Structure formats: structure tokens, C-alpha cells
């Protein structure tokens, strides 16, 4: 029997393919991924009266609430050029990371029936959940960019850097989704714990305040830790592209490093447990 299996290159049903073959299979499902994510995005708001408008209203309302709390009551806007644009960009960009994490945590558990009856690379599911979050970010740009213009910024060639900035953040978010999808498939309580972890990450990512101003009265290592935090890195590169101010090129190197490292590590981490997804 072993000789027959070796001669005809047979493999066990459901066995994990090699990483190259797995990636080839995943690429072959690209049209399904786009259709699946688009459908999921539409269904997510189908029960609400305003429907898809919530993709624009949710981050906008969050920005209004955070401006009242942090900008007006806590005065974190002191020393920040164009605080409204500063805050709106921070919220919209970090929301993309947040949505990718939450969607990734549920990618396998919410589609366990699909994984049990159909054969396909399970990586389709976290890729799809990340694409849903990306679609929502793209829609939110309809609100974000006019706000940046209304608050006094003018279009410059640096605005083109928004495209590679979001591309790098998407790579990073996809890597996170791979990591959290495997963990969420194994530990169902992951989705319950994530909001607390994300909220903590939000507060240390410079979304509501300037890291430079905050770290001025703290040891240098505090500033370094806050700046290398990927949650802050992607927010800052987008701010640097859209808001007039000093340029810090090292942030782009950090953005590239985080994107490549987390995506590669997350993809391998997820692939290694391919045979476990959907098992009873």
C-alpha cells in the first residue's frame, strides 16, 4: 500500500499541502475571495435602516465623541497642528487595524460549517475578513479626505503616499488576521478578550495625542516604545502624507518592516494548523 501511495503521489484527504502549493491554491480562489468579502460586507449592514451609510457614520461619530472627550475636555490637542484632521486620520486608520483583528478572530469560528463541507485553503477566510475591513476603510476615505481639506490642508504630491501607506497597513493587518484566526479557532473566548486588548492598544498608539508632546516629560525609551508601536506607525505615516508638517522617514522603514515580518510570520503560523480548522 505504501508503495502504491508513493508511486501515484497520493496524499491523505485533507492533508496540508506544501506552502508553495497552498499559496497557489489560495491565489486560484482570488475571485471567490473578492465576491465572498463583498457579500459579507453588504450583509453586515442589511438589518439596519441606514444600511451601508453606517460605514461612513460609525467612524465619523467616533471622531466626534473622541474630539469632545480628548480635544475639548482633556485638552490633548495642545501643540498639535490641525487637531481635527490629526484626530480623524488617527481614528479612521486605527479602526482598520481594529476591524481586521476582530474579523480575523471570527474568521474560522463564524464559518466552521463551510470549512467542514467544502475543500479550500482556509486562509481564504482571514483574507476575506481583512478585505472587508479594507473596503470599509476605502468607503471611510469619502469622509476623511474632505475633512482634511475643510480643516485647512491643501492637496500636495505627498498625498499620493496614502496609497503605499494603506497597502503596507493592509499587509500588516492581514498578518495579524492570520495570527488571530488560528488562535480564535482554538480558543473561542478570543473574541471576548480582544476588545479590551484593542482598547489598550488604541490608547498607546497616539491616536488622540501627539507622541512627541506626551513623551517630552518622560524617559527617552518611552518615546521609542510608543513610536515603534505598529498601531502608531501606520497612523503617523498617513498623517505625514496628508497633513503639512515635518517628515520622519524612519517611520516608513518601520512600516515596511512590520508589514513584511507580520505578514510572513502570520501566514506561516496559520498554514501550519491548516488541517485543524473545522475539525470537531
Amino acid at each position: 500500500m505504501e508503495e502504491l501511495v508513493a508511486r501515484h503521489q497520493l496524499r491523505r484527504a485533507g492533508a496540508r499541502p506544501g506552502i508553495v502549493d497552498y499559496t497557489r491554491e489560495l491565489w486560484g480562489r482570488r475571485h471567490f475571495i473578492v465576491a465572498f468579502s463583498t457579500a459579507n460586507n453588504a450583509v453586515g449592514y442589511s438589518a439596519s435602516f441606514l444600511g451601508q451609510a453606517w460605514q461612513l457614520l460609525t467612524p465619523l461619530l467616533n471622531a466626534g465623541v473622541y474630539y469632545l472627550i480628548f480635544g475639548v475636555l482633556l485638552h490633548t490637542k495642545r501643540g498639535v497642528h490641525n487637531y481635527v484632521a490629526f484626530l480623524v486620520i488617527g481614528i479612521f486608520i486605527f479602526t482598520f487595524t481594529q476591524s481586521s483583528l476582530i474579523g480575523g478572530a471570527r474568521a474560522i469560528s463564524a464559518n466552521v460549517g463551510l470549512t467542514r463541507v467544502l475543500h479550500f485553503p482556509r486562509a481564504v477566510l482571514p483574507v476575506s475578513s481583512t478585505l472587508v475591513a479594507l473596503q470599509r476603510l476605502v468607503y471611510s476615505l469619502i469622509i476623511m479626505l474632505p475633512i482634511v481639506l475643510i480643516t485647512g490642508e491643501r492637496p500636495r504630491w505627498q498625498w499620493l503616499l496614502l496609497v503605499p501607506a494603506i497597502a503596507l497597513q493592509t499587509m500588516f493587518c492581514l498578518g495579524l488576521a492570520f495570527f488571530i484566526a488560528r488562535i480564535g479557532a482554538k480558543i473561542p473566548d478570543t473574541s471576548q478578550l480582544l476588545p479590551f486588548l484593542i482598547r489598550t492598544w488604541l490608547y498607546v498608539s497616539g491616536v488622540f495625542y501627539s507622541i512627541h508632546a506626551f513623551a517630552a516629560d518622560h524617559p527617552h525609551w518611552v518615546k521609542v516604545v510608543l513610536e515603534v508601536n505598529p498601531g502608531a506607525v501606520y497612523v503617523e505615516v498617513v498623517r505625514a502624507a496628508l497633513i503639512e508638517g515635518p517628515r520622519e522617514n524612519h517611520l516608513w522603514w518601520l512600516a515596511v518592516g512590520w508589514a513584511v515580518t507580520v505578514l510572513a510570520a502570520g501566514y506561516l503560523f496559520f498554514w501550519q494548523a491548516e488541517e485543524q480548522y473545522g475539525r470537531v
Side-chain angles (χ1 to χ4, degrees):
M1 183 63 70
E2 292 180 355
E3 291 180 3
L4 285 174
V5 170
R7 184 187 311 165
H8 296 284
Q9 297 181 336
L10 302 179
R11 70 181 185 185
R12 177 170 49 84
R16 182 187 69 196
I19 189 69
V20 175
D21 291 336
Y22 186 76
T23 303
R24 188 180 296 114
E25 288 183 30
L26 181 61
W27 175 250
R29 302 297 196 284
R30 61 190 181 279
H31 301 298
F32 170 74
I33 292 173
V34 173
F36 186 61
S37 60
T38 301
N40 281 340
N41 188 32
V43 169
Y45 295 97
S46 60
S48 62
F49 180 74
L50 296 178
Q52 298 296 315
W54 283 110
Q55 296 192 56
L56 306 178
L57 292 175
T58 299
L60 187 61
L61 291 173
N62 282 335
V65 171
Y66 288 133
Y67 179 80
L68 174 64
I69 296 173
F70 292 94
V72 177
L73 299 180
L74 299 181
H75 300 289
T76 59
K77 65 180 180 180
R78 291 178 180 175
V80 177
H81 166 69
N82 195 351
Y83 184 75
V84 173
F86 176 94
L87 177 63
V88 168
I89 291 171
I91 292 171
F92 280 43
I93 297 302
F94 190 87
T95 297
F96 176 33
T97 302
Q98 172 182 298
S99 300
S100 299
L101 262 176
I102 294 174
R106 300 169 179 167
I108 302 297
S109 59
N111 296 283
V112 67
L114 198 62
T115 64
R116 289 175 178 171
V117 300
L118 295 177
H119 172 72
F120 61 93
R122 302 323 189 207
V124 162
L125 299 175
V127 171
S128 177
S129 67
T130 304
L131 190 55
V132 169
L134 177 60
Q135 289 176 357
R136 292 175 181 174
L137 173 64
V138 171
Y139 284 129
S140 71
L141 294 180
I142 298 173
I143 295 292
M144 188 179 81
L145 293 178
I147 290 177
V148 172
L149 289 170
I150 291 171
T151 54
E153 302 298 326
R154 293 293 175 264
R156 296 165 292 121
W157 72 266
Q158 285 91 342
W159 279 39
L160 298 176
L161 295 175
L162 180 63
V163 175
I166 290 179
L168 290 171
Q169 186 185 10
T170 302
M171 293 171 60
F172 172 77
C173 288
L174 180 55
L176 282 185
F178 283 133
F179 272 114
I180 203 67
R182 176 175 173 178
I183 296 171
K186 191 72 174 179
I187 306 173
D189 291 340
T190 301
S191 296
Q192 306 303 320
L193 294 173
L194 263 183
F196 301 99
L197 299 177
I198 291 174
R199 193 173 300 120
T200 302
W201 194 11
L202 172 69
Y203 292 143
V204 299
S205 295
V207 173
F208 314 116
Y209 57 87
S210 166
I211 290 177
H212 292 284
F214 174 80
D217 298 326
H218 294 78
H220 179 68
W221 67 265
V222 173
K223 179 175 180 292
V224 172
V225 170
L226 292 177
E227 282 190 338
V228 301
N229 162 23
V233 167
Y234 294 107
V235 167
E236 289 300 327
V237 293
V238 174
R239 282 173 176 161
L242 300 181
I243 300 178
E244 193 74 59
R247 302 285 170 261
E248 298 186 68
N249 293 329
H250 72 280
L251 290 176
W252 282 97
W253 289 109
L254 287 172
V256 172
W258 277 117
V260 173
T261 302
V262 173
L263 178 57
Y267 187 55
L268 288 172
F269 181 72
F270 184 87
W271 165 76
Q272 288 172 344
E274 175 71 10
E275 298 180 12
Q276 302 173 17
Y277 306 129
R279 294 289 178 89
V280 179

